[in-house]
């Protein structure tokens, strides 16, 4: 199973394909090569990078996905392959399913998110009693949990803004925006691979520049990025987006998640999680659900 993220951080490169290998050529440097079959995502976070038609068609045909960033490392788009799932029962059940199955899946996902947020706060030295109580409620409040979580998490990573938002101008918020965009890209890929539609949200509504189901599915995985940022802040003194991009790529590849009796790589766990959600829709039952836990 492919599990590598190719992170392009050198300006002026050319991405091409050569005998089953993705190749990055940069003037004056030795070409970098990686087997196409090992790539799950390509993140282009450099200026003036060219992509050959052979590279684009091969990467998307292999069910990998490409994330494009602007000159400030802000994600601005992605390139994904055409939907090629032969068995479309999951997507049909997702679109036609009773509202109750959407709600039940969402509540399990939300509970998983809050439990993972509580795990992150414990790493900061905070005892998240309030989050633990919220997760035990029949219908947890996402907004109440978020207010409590960000109140304690952002100071722990030295953020002066003290609030979370895509438009909040602070180093931690910029770093989280980037990390979440990478995570959303991987979720988008997995959703397509497992025959679901990124458009039909179970909780979020479709809106401009957003795919509702992608943002629903990634919610319990966001705390994994938060944990990476917490560790990054402890390892480095200065905020540097290039260093953060490398940190994210490495830890997405190396982080392990416990599943049943064995550990999984985080990216493989993400695939298993989305596959379980697809099975929930196919069977119109919550029983197959599994949410990765910190």
């Amino acid at each position: 199973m492919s599990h590598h993220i190719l992170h392009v951080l050198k300006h002026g490169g050319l991405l091409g394909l050569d005998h089953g290998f993705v190749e990055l050529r940069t003037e004056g440097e030795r070409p970098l090569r990686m087997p196409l079959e090992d790539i799950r995502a390509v993140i282009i976070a450099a200026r003036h990078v060219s992509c050959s038609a052979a590279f684009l068609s091969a990467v998307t045909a292999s069910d990998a996905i490409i994330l494009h960033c602007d000159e400030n490392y802000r994600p601005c788009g992605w390139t994904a392959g055409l939907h090629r799932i032969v068995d479309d029962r999951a997507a049909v059940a997702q679109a036609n399913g009773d509202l109750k199955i959407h709600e039940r899946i969402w509540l399990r996902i939300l509970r998983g998110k809050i439990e993972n947020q509580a795990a992150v706060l414990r790493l900061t030295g905070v005892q998240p009693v309030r989050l633990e109580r919220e997760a035990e409620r029949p219908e947890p409040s996402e907004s109440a949990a978020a207010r409590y979580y960000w109140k304690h998490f952002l100071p722990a990573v030295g953020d002066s803004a003290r609030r979370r938002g895509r438009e909040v101008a602070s180093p931690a918020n910029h770093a989280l925006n980037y990390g979440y965009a990478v995570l959303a890209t991987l979720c988008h890929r997995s959703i397509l691979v497992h025959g679901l539609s990124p458009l039909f949200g179970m909780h979020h509504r479709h809106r401009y520049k957003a795919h509702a189901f992608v943002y629903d599915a990634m919610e319990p995985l966001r705390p994994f990025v938060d944990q990476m940022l917490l560790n990054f802040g402890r390892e480095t003194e200065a905020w540097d987006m290039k260093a953060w991009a490398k940190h994210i790529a490495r830890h997405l590849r190396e982080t392990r998640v416990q599943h049943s009796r064995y550990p999984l790589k985080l990216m493989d766990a993400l695939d298993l999680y989305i596959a379980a959600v697809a099975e929930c829709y196919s069977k119109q039952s919550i029983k197959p659900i599994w949410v990765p836990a910190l």
Side-chain angles (χ1 to χ4, degrees), residues 24 72 78 98 113 119 131 151 218 244 247 272 283 290:
L24 174 62
N72 295 314
W78 54 43
D98 189 283
K113 175 185 179 179
L131 289 184
K151 176 183 176 181
M218 67 181 282
W244 169 238
H247 183 88
L272 195 62
K283 295 182 176 179
W290 174 74

Side-chain angles (χ1 to χ4, degrees), residues 224-294:
F224 284 89
V225 174
D226 303 344
Q227 181 190 36
M228 292 174 197
L229 181 62
L230 184 65
N231 293 335
F232 179 73
R234 290 171 175 173
E235 295 172 6
T236 183
E237 296 181 359
W239 287 95
D240 178 75
M241 284 300 292
K242 189 172 183 178
W244 169 238
K246 291 181 178 179
H247 183 88
I248 279 284
R250 184 174 74 254
H251 284 272
L252 281 172
R253 183 178 68 250
E254 296 176 354
T255 298
R256 297 294 190 272
V257 176
Q258 190 64 34
H259 177 264
S260 186
R261 296 182 180 179
Y262 56 91
L264 287 171
K265 293 179 180 178
L266 177 57
M267 285 193 286
D268 293 337
L270 189 158
D271 261 354
L272 195 62
Y273 156 58
I274 297 298
V277 173
E279 189 176 358
C280 287
Y281 279 114
S282 294
K283 295 182 176 179
Q284 292 292 289
S285 168
I286 195 69
K287 289 184 178 180
I289 195 69
W290 174 74
V291 179
L294 273 166

Side-chain angles (χ1 to χ4, degrees), residues 77-134:
W78 54 43
T79 301
L82 293 174
H83 195 282
R84 296 191 306 280
I85 300 299
V86 176
D87 186 351
D88 62 356
R89 285 177 294 180
V92 172
Q94 176 193 10
N96 298 332
D98 189 283
L99 286 177
K100 289 184 178 179
I101 191 65
H102 294 293
E103 292 171 357
R104 292 173 68 193
I105 295 173
W106 169 247
L107 286 175
R108 178 64 187 90
I109 285 175
L110 176 56
R111 188 168 288 109
K113 175 185 179 179
I114 295 173
E115 289 170 348
N116 284 341
Q117 287 178 325
V120 172
L121 287 191
R122 290 189 196 98
L123 297 175
T124 70
V126 174
Q127 293 302 316
V129 177
R130 186 168 175 178
L131 289 184
E132 292 169 350
R133 290 174 180 171
E134 196 66 51

Side-chain angles (χ1 to χ4, degrees), residues 16-227:
L17 190 71
D18 182 42
H19 295 89
F21 285 81
V22 168
E23 188 173 75
L24 174 62
R25 290 184 172 273
T26 308
E27 188 175 354
E29 297 188 19
R30 184 178 179 180
L32 300 176
R33 293 162 62 88
M34 181 180 291
L36 173 65
E37 62 184 11
D38 288 350
I39 295 176
R40 184 162 299 183
V42 178
I43 300 173
I44 303 176
R47 296 187 298 274
H48 309 301
V49 174
S50 300
C51 303
S52 72
F55 162 80
L56 291 171
S57 61
V59 169
T60 52
S62 66
D63 289 327
I65 193 166
I66 304 168
L67 176 66
H68 307 274
C69 302
D70 65 17
E71 63 274 10
N72 295 314
Y73 298 95
R74 291 177 302 198
C76 56
W78 54 43
T79 301
L82 293 174
H83 195 282
R84 296 191 306 280
I85 300 299
V86 176
D87 186 351
D88 62 356
R89 285 177 294 180
V92 172
Q94 176 193 10
N96 298 332
D98 189 283
L99 286 177
K100 289 184 178 179
I101 191 65
H102 294 293
E103 292 171 357
R104 292 173 68 193
I105 295 173
W106 169 247
L107 286 175
R108 178 64 187 90
I109 285 175
L110 176 56
R111 188 168 288 109
K113 175 185 179 179
I114 295 173
E115 289 170 348
N116 284 341
Q117 287 178 325
V120 172
L121 287 191
R122 290 189 196 98
L123 297 175
T124 70
V126 174
Q127 293 302 316
V129 177
R130 186 168 175 178
L131 289 184
E132 292 169 350
R133 290 174 180 171
E134 196 66 51
E136 293 173 355
R137 293 179 56 190
E139 295 188 11
S141 170
E142 183 180 16
S143 59
R147 285 193 297 271
Y148 180 85
Y149 177 70
W150 295 117
K151 176 183 176 181
H152 291 88
F153 176 79
L154 289 173
V157 293
D159 188 85
S160 58
R162 300 299 176 92
R163 67 188 181 93
R164 165 70 196 142
R166 288 185 58 84
E167 305 304 323
V168 178
S170 70
N173 273 282
H174 289 321
L176 289 173
N177 289 341
Y178 181 85
Y180 293 157
V182 174
L183 183 64
T185 301
L186 294 170
C187 281
H188 190 125
R189 171 205 169 273
S190 191
I191 286 165
L192 295 178
V193 167
H194 291 290
L196 295 167
S197 169
L199 299 177
F200 304 131
M202 64 188 86
H203 175 70
H204 290 96
R205 294 183 178 181
H206 180 70
R207 62 189 189 278
Y208 179 60
K209 291 185 178 180
H211 292 81
F213 194 79
V214 174
Y215 289 95
D216 285 337
M218 67 181 282
E219 290 298 335
L221 303 174
R222 288 178 185 264
F224 284 89
V225 174
D226 303 344
Q227 181 190 36

